[in-house]
Amino acid sequence: MNLLAISGSLRKGSFNTSILRALAKYAPEGANVQVAAPIDRVPHFNPDLDGDAPPASVVEWRAELRAADGIIVCSPEYARGVPGALKNAFDWTVSSGDLEGKPLALINASPNFTGASTAHASLREILGTMGAVLLDDSCLSVAGVRGKLDEDGNVIDEDTRASLRHVLETLSKEVVDAQQRNAAS
Ligand SMILES: Cc1cc2nc3c(=O)[nH]c(=O)nc-3n(C[C@H](O)[C@H](O)[C@H](O)COP(=O)(O)O)c2cc1C
């Protein structure tokens, strides 16, 4: 099972990207978590460029999403909203429908006590609108993230580790269920 992990942060020392790297260690048997290249590789979304020959970086991005059995998004919140680069990258998938029916886990981490909850709610709405399948148990908000990772990006908080494992297990199970539903239809 191929799980594509997408960070909403472009920052080198990103907590959110560190969580995705840590998740690779918690993947259940048979699941492989691959952290995607940074999302600023696609241009600003412009429907005029989205014709028969979209930019090569967009073709690549869409192919990565299509090839994934499941997706994990982990993102910060900026100014009580979704990072523009992340929303921009996903805007390219509306016309191609790459998220349609795709099981997706959503994690938002912030050093603040709010746990990026506004961006979390907004992303749930956006990604759901784009067709992704998000379950309550595959959505997680991590508050006070600074104290939950060590300087190498390892998750040192036991409750957070357990929550991340639970998110991954839920996502993996949904991937299998979705494959069975598709095979039966
Ligand atoms: C311009 C700017 C706006 C921010 N706005 C918010 C915010 O609305 N809510 C929040 O929880 N954190 C906010 N933060 C703090 C980020 O959560 C923090 O920088 C976090 O480490 C970014 O995620 P990353 O470590 O994955 O890059 C903001 C940071 C910046 C630079």
Side-chain angles (χ1 to χ4, degrees):
M1 178 187 304
N2 169 24
L3 303 177
L4 183 68
I6 299 160
S7 177
S9 176
L10 300 172
R11 207 168 66 82
K12 214 157 91 193
S14 163
F15 294 120
N16 284 276
T17 308
S18 291
I19 286 177
L20 290 177
R21 292 201 189 103
L23 271 181
K25 295 182 210 151
Y26 309 142
E29 175 118 19
N32 173 42
V33 177
Q34 178 78 41
V35 179
I39 38 150
D40 60 347
R41 61 197 148 122
V42 293
H44 289 155
F45 177 62
N46 178 349
D48 290 343
L49 301 180
D50 193 15
D52 294 338
S57 59
V58 171
V59 174
E60 230 173 74
W61 163 237
R62 288 172 170 167
E64 277 174 42
L65 292 168
R66 259 197 315 277
D69 298 306
I71 293 170
I72 307 161
V73 172
C74 191
S75 176
E77 171 179 276
Y78 289 141
R80 291 280 182 272
V82 177
L86 185 66
K87 174 69 163 59
N88 178 66
F90 279 117
D91 280 344
W92 282 104
T93 73
V94 174
S95 61
S96 50
D98 301 309
L99 292 189
E100 198 57 55
K102 196 76 83 173
L104 190 148
L106 175 62
I107 303 166
N108 290 90
S110 166
N112 296 352
F113 71 94
T114 58
S117 57
T118 307
H120 187 74
S122 182
L123 268 171
R124 241 190 118 152
E125 181 75 24
I126 291 164
L127 296 168
T129 300
M130 292 175 177
V133 179
L134 295 104
L135 304 178
D136 285 346
D137 279 8
S138 57
C139 290
L140 177 69
S141 195
V142 180
V145 69
R146 196 183 297 280
K148 293 175 175 172
L149 302 181
D150 69 15
E151 57 192 24
D152 296 322
N154 299 304
V155 182
I156 51 173
D157 178 64
E158 210 167 299
D159 289 347
T160 306
R161 265 205 307 263
S163 299
L164 290 171
R165 279 207 178 91
H166 183 66
V167 164
L168 260 187
E169 280 161 15
T170 305
L171 177 67
S172 306
K173 186 174 175 307
E174 177 55 24
V175 167
V176 172
D177 289 351
Q179 285 169 343
Q180 284 170 352
R181 280 198 302 271
N182 290 341
S185 65

